[in-house]
Amino acid sequence: MTKLKIAIQKSGRLNQDSLKLLKDCGISIDNGKDQLKASARNFPVEVLYLRNGDIPQYLRDGVVDVAILGENTLVEKGEDLKIVERLGFSKCRVSLAVPKEAAFTDLKDLDGKRIATSYPNTVKKFFDENGISADLHIINGSVEIAPNIGLADAICDIVSSGSTLFKNGLKEVVKMSESEAVLTVAPNLSAEKQEILNTIQFRIQSVLRGQNSKYILLNAPNEKIDDIIELLPGMRSPTVLPLAQEGWSSIHTVVIGKSKFWDLIDELKVRGAEGILVVPIEKMVL
């Protein structure tokens, strides 16, 4: 039986979030402690736990078929590989940082300086595009210590909250790019494996839509219904049901996107909505 081989990070937050996504897609992985390979009980999938930086080459070699990994790793080692789905978790940025006490005006201040990084290709490309020449020191591991031990004048690393930089006496000065977890695919996937991948993508998209949406139920006087519906960007159109209390109705709809969610709630209240219930959506299948 044909199985799709999926590579995920061996350990860390990306590992946990990747396994959770597969679980949310109904794929149960039988993996024990320190296991490097595990099969799904209920789906033609095999998971390989690999070092993030090694995954792009394994994809090229056909050792694995698809992978969940950080976009920053693809920029560094796999720009030739195709992203088929952005997954929205493990978000971070690739940034330059210098010691807190260092004077910094703009990128030109790093010209001729020593930069410690685990992302030499990313830094070189960014510096070349901006006309900066620097001495790169490649470090596999915690680069934040490099300025403190006199190895470098600045670092380039992934930044999430910035707490690690703060603890090491560094300040973020230039955001080079943003990154998130992505689903990427090997160059030559067989038709059988592509079919399995299509099913997984469909499930992933349903999970991601659910995560980015809310189900809203509210009560409103009938004379306010048109004003309220005007605000609600439902999947097709809101559902309106009469209440037992004469002159009142219940309105049900799905709100997609979170960026202006509370602004919407405030405006619904202004237009007469009462008893607003907001319910999370596990999955949204279109």
Side-chain angles (χ1 to χ4, degrees):
M1 177 173 144
T2 300
K3 288 189 176 184
L4 189 75
K5 294 180 180 179
I6 301 179
I8 66 172
Q9 191 179 48
K10 190 175 179 181
S11 60
R13 193 179 69 173
L14 190 55
N15 166 278
Q16 296 167 6
D17 289 343
S18 300
L19 289 174
K20 182 180 183 304
L21 177 63
L22 293 177
K23 182 179 179 181
D24 289 343
C25 290
I27 300 173
S28 301
I29 306 298
D30 290 321
N31 62 301
K33 187 178 179 182
D34 299 326
Q35 221 175 325
L36 298 180
K37 187 170 71 171
S39 294
R41 293 194 302 268
N42 58 347
F43 202 81
V45 155
E46 191 171 61
V47 174
L48 282 75
Y49 302 95
L50 304 170
R51 288 183 64 252
N52 222 29
D54 295 336
I55 291 175
Q57 191 57 50
Y58 283 134
L59 285 163
R60 293 189 194 95
D61 293 342
V63 175
V64 295
D65 304 308
V66 297
I68 299 173
L69 75 168
E71 186 178 4
N72 56 291
T73 302
L74 278 187
V75 171
E76 176 66 22
K77 295 186 174 183
E79 282 196 303
D80 55 314
L81 298 170
K82 182 181 177 182
I83 294 174
V84 295
E85 200 75 51
R86 294 186 172 275
L87 303 176
F89 59 81
S90 295
K91 290 187 177 182
C92 62
R93 53 197 180 273
V94 182
S95 295
L96 293 162
V98 300
K100 288 180 182 176
E101 67 277 5
F104 184 88
T105 305
D106 58 33
L107 192 58
K108 291 181 181 178
D109 291 338
L110 297 180
D111 198 28
K113 302 293 186 179
R114 298 167 300 162
I115 313 295
T117 185
S118 301
Y119 302 95
N121 296 331
T122 302
V123 177
K124 185 178 185 308
K125 181 180 178 181
F126 182 78
F127 278 8
D128 287 347
E129 290 172 349
N130 288 277
I132 303 297
S133 176
D135 180 16
L136 299 187
H137 290 254
I138 303 173
I139 297 178
N140 294 315
S142 300
V143 301
E144 296 88 357
I145 197 174
N148 291 330
I149 61 176
L151 181 63
D153 303 298
I155 70 164
C156 171
D157 201 10
I158 57 172
V159 179
S160 182
S161 66
S163 62
T164 303
L165 294 181
F166 180 80
K167 290 174 184 176
N168 286 275
L170 302 173
K171 60 183 178 182
E172 185 178 3
V173 291
V174 177
K175 182 177 75 174
M176 297 167 53
S177 62
E178 294 186 342
S179 175
E180 65 181 287
V182 296
L183 185 69
T184 185
V185 63
N188 299 305
L189 211 59
S190 69
E192 285 179 302
K193 291 185 175 182
Q194 183 63 54
E195 189 173 341
I196 298 170
L197 176 59
N198 291 344
T199 300
I200 293 175
Q201 271 192 265
F202 173 79
R203 295 187 182 190
I204 287 174
Q205 290 163 3
S206 299
V207 170
L208 296 180
R209 276 193 296 266
Q211 291 174 352
N212 291 321
S213 305
K214 299 290 185 184
Y215 191 78
I216 293 183
L217 304 85
L218 59 89
N219 298 329
N222 289 343
E223 65 270 17
K224 299 288 187 179
I225 288 176
D226 289 342
D227 288 342
I228 289 173
I229 287 179
E230 186 181 28
L231 282 176
L232 298 174
M235 293 175 64
R236 183 157 297 175
S237 66
T239 299
V240 180
L241 301 171
L243 293 180
Q245 182 178 347
E246 190 174 346
W248 283 76
S249 293
S250 175
I251 301 175
H252 301 207
T253 192
V254 172
V255 174
I256 300 172
K258 299 178 181 178
S259 60
K260 296 184 178 180
F261 175 77
W262 283 110
D263 293 337
L264 173 63
I265 297 298
D266 291 339
E267 185 60 28
L268 287 171
K269 290 175 64 181
V270 169
R271 297 198 183 193
E274 296 182 9
I276 301 172
L277 298 180
V278 180
V279 182
I281 297 174
E282 185 175 307
K283 298 172 184 68
M284 187 188 299
V285 181
L286 300 181

